[in-house]
Amino acid sequence: MGIRCSAASLLMLAALLCFPVTFLTAESRSLTGDQALERAIAVQMEEKAYHIVALGDSISAGYEPGMDEKSVPYGYVERLREQGLYYGRTKVHNYGILGLTSSGLKNYISAIQSGEAIRPEAIQRGLPDPRIAAFAAGIADTRAALEQADLITITIGGNDLYSLLTDIAHYSPAEIEAKGRELLAAYTLNVREILDDLTAINPRAQIILMDQYQPVPKRIAGSAYTDLENAADTFTAAVEGIAGEYASQGKLVKAAHVAQAFKGREIALTHILPGGDIHPSQAGYEAIAKAVAEEAWGSYRENGKLKEGVPLHIVVKGEKLQTPYAPVLLHNQTFLALKDITEAIGASARWDSRSSTATVTYGGRTVVIPIGASQVIANGELVATHNPAFLYKIGQEAKTYVPLAVLAQGLGLDVQYSEKSKTVFINL
């Protein structure tokens, strides 16, 4: 391959350091309701959940140009969470660190494995991520998350050649090629140490290591495009070699082929035009999520477009709810036809026309829901609701619509909402 083109490909990947230092991931929001009941359900969810842990750089963090501390990422990790929810309760821990190199990730995971305190600068000097102190201080919690993990994903390597960026003009072609080989060898050694530690922490977790996409389109690269693709193929071969090495030892390590998904689609899947930023676009993050999901679950599931007049997709136990009675959104609360939800989860329901009250029983739990009342009775306890159940006339029928969140809390169901995909996931 062309010597200069090989280095250029890696240098373009190193541009992943270009992001505002104010970028922060949003904190999760907890549901309101009876605190004792909520805590019990949280414990139950923790025990049942499929745990995903994301490690790596700004790709795992879900960065796109223009993000700041108020931005809510919707990258490949958030999409993987949705994919997990098709199969059951899912919890995600994202430890993507902006600007991280494979050496920095090695230092971070090594500290987690040893249980030793680590200073932010000992992970990696000069990291622009404003959360790095919290990452360094939280290694005990991170280890606990890794020990519980069912799936661990890793994006790393794009920043490894940053040291070439400022001195590239001073290198001869032979020096560039030698430096590239040296840095790729260092990357390989670092990733092996990372995988050794991760498989020691949790030998049962599936680990998926991603290769690096080549972001420069042919429109910009011209005749050098083929050489750039060959350079990306070299990186992919290294990742495949590492994954194959561990798989041959009986360890659960796979390679996800992200680079292949970006070939010929660089403009659509990155922000390289017009701004020159090579981070994935929303389409790019979806392509990454698809590559990982296909390795983890064998497929990537999508709901398609919403029908006219239907505000949300409802997915119950992995299956899209098929009903002529559309969900209703009132005051940011989702209401479903009572019969639809009880039949979907296998619960029993009883309607008392004299008191206009629905009683739902499932798994030894009972929720009594009076129409129009500001309180329901969940397992004998009064629970306040600001959005009471109501009768909704559809044609000649009056259907009982109940607040999904209140019903779910009372029955111990897990309900997760994705704003981006307009999907409510309900799991037992």
Side-chain angles (χ1 to χ4, degrees):
M1 72 182 73
I3 295 174
R4 288 189 181 275
C5 290
S6 176
S9 174
L10 295 170
L11 285 171
M12 286 300 295
L13 294 172
L16 294 174
L17 284 172
C18 302
F19 41 70
V21 298
T22 54
F23 172 66
L24 293 170
T25 54
E27 293 182 356
S28 60
R29 297 173 176 85
S30 60
L31 294 173
T32 60
D34 180 83
Q35 294 302 306
L37 179 60
E38 193 169 309
R39 283 195 295 271
I41 293 173
V43 170
Q44 183 187 53
M45 179 180 177
E46 189 75 17
E47 292 173 350
K48 289 185 175 181
Y50 180 87
H51 289 259
I52 300 173
V53 174
L55 301 169
D57 50 27
S58 57
I59 302 297
S60 285
Y63 175 76
E64 290 186 83
M67 280 186 162
D68 58 24
E69 71 279 2
K70 296 180 182 178
S71 301
V72 179
Y74 187 57
Y76 88 84
V77 177
E78 289 72 29
R79 287 171 165 87
L80 284 186
R81 171 180 169 272
E82 293 173 7
Q83 292 299 303
L85 288 168
Y86 282 103
Y87 299 93
R89 299 181 182 226
T90 300
K91 187 170 184 179
V92 169
H93 302 269
N94 193 336
Y95 300 104
I97 300 175
L98 309 182
L100 197 68
T101 64
S102 64
S103 178
L105 182 58
K106 178 195 71 173
N107 296 336
Y108 183 44
I109 301 302
S110 177
I112 293 168
Q113 159 68 338
S114 66
E116 297 177 359
I118 189 169
R119 301 184 311 278
E121 59 271 22
I123 294 176
Q124 184 177 319
R125 288 188 179 276
L127 278 172
D129 196 318
R131 307 163 300 165
I132 188 58
F135 282 122
I139 61 170
D141 290 338
T142 307
R143 183 183 176 102
L146 286 167
E147 288 174 343
Q148 282 189 295
D150 298 288
L151 173 64
I152 300 171
T153 65
I154 304 173
T155 62
I156 203 68
N159 296 308
D160 278 33
L161 298 187
Y162 182 68
S163 60
L164 282 178
L165 192 58
T166 55
D167 296 326
I168 187 68
H170 305 296
Y171 291 148
S172 68
E175 288 172 330
I176 293 171
E177 185 173 22
K179 185 68 173 177
R181 285 198 304 268
E182 176 187 336
L183 292 172
L184 188 58
Y187 164 86
T188 302
L189 289 174
N190 288 335
V191 170
R192 284 197 179 104
E193 289 193 39
I194 291 165
L195 292 175
D196 286 342
D197 283 339
L198 289 175
T199 53
I201 292 170
N202 185 344
R204 66 172 184 80
Q206 176 67 68
I207 301 174
I208 296 181
L209 175 67
M210 284 167 251
D211 60 8
Q212 295 286 331
Y213 62 87
Q214 192 289 110
V216 185
K218 194 169 186 178
R219 180 190 303 182
I220 295 175
S223 60
Y225 182 77
T226 299
D227 290 326
L228 290 171
E229 289 299 322
N230 289 339
D233 290 342
T234 300
F235 198 103
T236 295
V239 170
E240 287 179 339
I242 295 169
E245 174 187 331
Y246 281 82
S248 68
Q249 300 169 16
K251 297 180 178 179
L252 302 176
V253 178
K254 291 183 178 181
H257 298 89
V258 171
Q260 183 63 37
F262 278 68
K263 285 185 178 181
R265 303 176 64 200
E266 299 86 4
I267 294 175
L269 300 188
T270 74
H271 290 279
I272 196 164
L273 291 178
D277 188 291
I278 66 169
H279 282 88
S281 61
Q282 281 295 296
Y285 277 119
E286 183 169 20
I288 294 172
K290 284 182 177 180
V292 178
E294 286 167 1
E295 291 296 333
W297 296 290
S299 66
Y300 184 84
R301 299 182 61 175
E302 298 178 83
N303 283 324
K305 293 183 178 180
L306 286 165
K307 295 180 180 179
E308 185 177 352
V310 178
L312 298 166
H313 299 290
I314 305 293
V315 176
V316 184
K317 297 189 298 182
E319 298 298 328
K320 190 173 178 181
L321 186 64
Q322 303 293 339
T323 174
Y325 308 113
V328 173
L329 285 180
L330 286 177
H331 310 297
N332 295 317
Q333 177 87 35
T334 303
F335 289 78
L336 295 181
L338 179 61
K339 187 176 180 181
D340 284 344
I341 184 62
T342 55
E343 289 185 350
I345 67 173
S348 62
R350 186 175 71 256
W351 172 254
D352 186 335
S353 58
R354 291 178 298 176
S355 60
S356 296
T357 299
T359 300
V360 182
T361 303
Y362 173 78
R365 297 171 180 257
T366 299
V367 181
V368 180
I369 308 175
I371 296 295
S374 60
Q375 291 182 321
V376 302
I377 303 173
N379 305 300
E381 300 288 335
L382 288 174
V383 178
T385 175
H386 298 295
N387 299 292
F390 60 91
L391 293 176
Y392 187 48
K393 193 169 183 179
I394 303 173
Q396 299 300 313
E397 293 185 278
K399 306 297 292 184
T400 302
Y401 270 66
V402 296
L404 177 58
V406 173
L407 180 64
Q409 286 181 18
L411 298 182
L413 306 178
D414 177 55
V415 178
Q416 303 291 329
Y417 175 60
S418 170
E419 171 65 31
K420 293 292 186 179
S421 65
K422 301 296 182 186
T423 303
V424 174
F425 295 91
I426 303 170
N427 282 297
L428 307 183

